Amino acid sequence: MRMLSAALALAAAIGLSATATAQDYPTRPITMVVPFAAGGPTDTVARLVAESMSKTLGQQVVVENVGGAGGTRGAGQVAKAAPDGYTILLHHIGQATAATLYRKLPYNPATDFEAVGLVTAVPMTMIAKPGFAPKTMAEAVDYVKANKDKVTYGNAGVGSASHLCGMLFMSSIGTQMTTVPYQGTGPAMNDLVGGQIDLMCDQTTNTTGQIKGGKVKAYAVTTKGHVKSLPDLPTMQESGLKDFEVAVWHGIYAPKGTPKAIVDKLNSALDVALNDPKVIARFADLGTEPEPKDRRSPAFHKDFVIAEIAKWKPVIQGAGVYAD
């Protein structure tokens, strides 16, 4: 009985300590790991959200770029971090696709994290170098099929959003192009603008300015509906690619075991950020918008990741393209 009483007392003390810690949280800066290079589209989203969350939490949310291995290096770092709320992850769709792309992934995207909430689902655009001959998406598809050995498609590396979109595109038209992987979105975009590669599919957060500035040729958006910032662009489905749809959703994660009270505080700060007029306006400039309220909860986010893993698994396995 004495041992049982002592055990119960210890459990109660630990529970009270965890509650007190969660109530005080945060007492120091929080590191938000972005598993890609600075200046890319995911980094842009992270910095907008981090700035607003810092105000709500009363502590600085510092963005740390930990690139490499298609986003898995940074995600793996967070998976192994202390579950105290001071190291969190902002990742895109690659959090789900990595489960299939990497056959020896050192962490489980579905079980090794606490989902904090979805941030935004960024549309993508199919774009080409300025002098690319086809005038429409339909013409581009025909051109690619007729010149598959000559046409080059650039992406930001294996596992990147541009890689996934390109893989889905090639699967949809039944034609493989010569793929040119880069170390990040910036170098790929620079070569597209400079005419060194022919095609690229990337997030509106990275392409809207280039399209409006006339630096690239834009063919279509990858979502079902039109994008407000690019109203004249047709959808891929309108261009003849039936059921072609992909958006690069972003979410925030904490290491598995992070107390629910801390996850809830982070979620509340995220909710405030996504209602911030400045964030909303900046997102609009980049061709996206915050996730609706009903998609921001940790519970919805957790189920969504599991569903996305199941959605992309057959696409990746069908293409037979793996990162390891």
Side-chain angles (χ1 to χ4, degrees):
M1 288 296 293
R2 285 196 298 270
M3 291 177 65
L4 177 60
S5 297
L8 291 172
L10 178 60
I14 291 173
L16 287 172
S17 176
T19 301
T21 300
Q23 288 176 345
D24 295 338
Y25 172 85
T27 59
R28 54 188 171 86
I30 299 164
T31 297
M32 177 183 282
V33 172
V34 173
F36 301 103
T42 300
D43 179 68
T44 299
V45 169
R47 291 180 187 278
L48 287 171
V49 171
E51 182 180 359
S52 183
M53 288 179 68
S54 297
K55 298 174 184 177
T56 302
L57 293 167
Q59 291 287 343
Q60 190 74 21
V61 179
V62 181
V63 173
E64 179 183 345
N65 299 95
V66 183
T72 61
R73 180 167 168 254
Q77 178 175 305
V78 176
K80 296 176 182 178
D84 55 11
Y86 290 100
T87 303
I88 60 177
L89 171 73
L90 190 146
H91 202 348
H92 64 27
I93 188 174
Q95 179 73 342
T97 56
T100 306
L101 270 173
Y102 292 83
R103 292 164 292 186
K104 297 179 181 179
L105 198 62
Y107 60 89
N108 188 320
T111 61
D112 287 349
F113 299 88
E114 302 291 347
V116 173
L118 292 173
V119 179
T120 184
V122 183
M124 302 188 78
T125 53
M126 184 62 72
I127 55 179
K129 64 182 181 182
F132 201 51
K135 296 179 180 178
T136 66
M137 188 73 252
E139 288 183 11
V141 170
D142 291 339
Y143 185 89
V144 169
K145 289 181 176 180
N147 300 275
K148 61 180 182 180
D149 295 329
K150 299 178 182 178
V151 179
T152 53
Y153 175 88
N155 66 49
V158 175
S160 65
S162 50
H163 171 233
L164 295 170
C165 185
M167 187 162 51
L168 184 61
F169 176 67
M170 287 182 272
S171 175
S172 297
I173 66 174
T175 304
Q176 295 295 311
M177 295 178 284
T178 299
T179 300
V180 184
Y182 289 82
Q183 295 296 317
T185 301
M189 180 62 75
N190 288 340
D191 274 8
L192 185 74
V193 172
Q196 278 75 49
I197 54 176
D198 299 314
L199 287 168
M200 186 175 172
C201 178
D202 204 6
Q203 302 171 63
T204 53
T205 45
N206 193 52
T207 63
T208 300
Q210 304 286 2
I211 293 170
K212 289 185 174 181
K215 295 182 179 180
V216 297
K217 179 179 287 188
Y219 287 126
V221 295
T222 63
T223 46
K224 284 185 177 180
H226 290 194
V227 175
K228 292 179 181 179
S229 60
L230 300 166
D232 296 330
L233 274 188
T235 67
M236 294 288 272
Q237 295 188 34
E238 289 171 341
S239 302
L241 290 172
K242 185 180 179 182
D243 298 327
F244 191 105
E245 180 185 5
V246 58
V248 184
W249 52 267
H250 296 74
I252 294 178
Y253 307 81
K256 185 68 176 179
T258 301
K260 182 179 183 301
I262 289 179
V263 171
D264 288 344
K265 274 196 174 184
L266 289 167
N267 177 263
S268 294
L270 173 62
D271 192 58
V272 172
L274 298 183
N275 289 326
D276 185 336
K278 292 183 179 179
V279 173
I280 293 172
R282 183 64 180 129
F283 273 8
D285 290 341
L286 297 169
T288 189
E289 57 189 23
E291 285 281 17
K293 178 72 174 179
D294 62 348
R295 292 170 58 89
R296 299 178 192 173
S297 72
F300 183 94
H301 184 190
K302 178 181 178 181
D303 291 343
F304 183 79
V305 170
I306 293 172
E308 283 288 287
I309 291 173
K311 170 186 172 181
W312 281 94
K313 185 175 182 179
V315 174
I316 295 169
Q317 290 181 331
V321 178
Y322 299 97
D324 56 8

